[in-house]
Amino acid sequence: MKFVVVALALAAVAAPGLPRAQAAPPTIASTAGLTERDRLTNQLTHEILLGSGVDIAAEMRKEAGGLQHMFEGLNGRPEWGGMFLDAAEEEVRTDMPRIEQVLGRTAFAPFTIAELQAGSAFLTASVVREAVEDTRRGGKGASLSPASRKALTSLSSTVAGRGFLAKFGKLHIGDTDKSGVVIGKLIAPGALRRFGEKAQAAEAARAAAAPAPSEADLLGAQLCHRMIGPMGWQAKLD
């Protein structure tokens, strides 16, 4: 599963055509016990995704649309495919901090600690939002605030800052098969659990809404039970 989430150029973010986030902004992962590299890559990834408004969960749902038919060979309910996609989307939204960590580790692997530190001091969600708007207007820098322009100039004046900007221009968050595999393993157990809960609730509601069985239905059920019960089934085999 690939997440081609955002491509960043020097002081500009281009993410046209991807779904915009409608849900509340994801919470950044806790920094407790993290290495300095993980702390910085988590922060940068979070700010980029938050500022660009890219909805990873919606993108995942679009790419996994084929799963809509995953239960057809099992004689499942027609609505189970959509129900599973709902469950997977919910799991992605809930697990965003860990997903951001996976994406950040891969995307920022070529950066040095010094470059990450320089970039984290400059890059915030507000700067990303300005860059997105600037890109839409032709990328001339007119949409950048004076504070952002000053920060960019300051960043460009250091060796680490220039290194960050040079690599930043080639950055693609999540555009690797490795990230997709890790994220798939990360969300699959929770998505399956959520799907099971949804399916069980739907079956319970269906049973509650069904008419009460008739006397003939009850007698037929008793007869079937006797025929295929443990003793009856063993007798058939013999």
Side-chain angles (χ1 to χ4, degrees), residues 14 57 77 99 105 111 119 135 142 168 181 187 202-203 206 211-212 216 225 232:
R77 300 283 189 192
I99 290 172
R105 281 177 175 173
F111 291 67
T135 300
F168 192 46
V181 170
I187 68 172
E203 291 304 307
R206 189 188 302 270
H225 177 72

Side-chain angles (χ1 to χ4, degrees), residues 206-219:
R206 189 188 302 270
S214 65
E215 184 175 357
D217 289 334
L218 293 174
L219 289 173

Side-chain angles (χ1 to χ4, degrees), residues 126-142:
S126 60
V127 171
V128 174
R129 278 191 288 269
E130 290 175 10
V132 169
E133 182 60 28
D134 188 65
T135 300
R136 289 173 181 163
R137 296 186 178 186
K140 303 298 183 181

Side-chain angles (χ1 to χ4, degrees), residues 6 8 12 18 24-27 45 57 61 63 76 79 107 115 121 125 145 156 163 174-175 177 185 189 192 215:
V6 65
L8 292 157
L18 291 181
T27 303
T45 304
R61 186 180 186 115
E63 293 190 9
E79 65 271 21
E115 289 167 348
S145 67
S156 304
D175 190 16
D177 289 327
K185 292 180 179 178
L192 290 170
E215 184 175 357

Side-chain angles (χ1 to χ4, degrees), residues 5 35 75 84 100 115 143 148 156 169 172 183 186 189 199 212 233:
V5 178
T35 64
N75 294 322
F84 179 77
E100 288 178 352
E115 289 167 348
S143 299
S148 294
S156 304
H172 288 265
I183 291 171
L186 189 66
W233 185 252

Side-chain angles (χ1 to χ4, degrees), residues 114-128:
E115 289 167 348
L116 293 172
Q117 289 171 334
S120 67
F122 162 72
L123 193 66
T124 64
S126 60
V127 171
V128 174

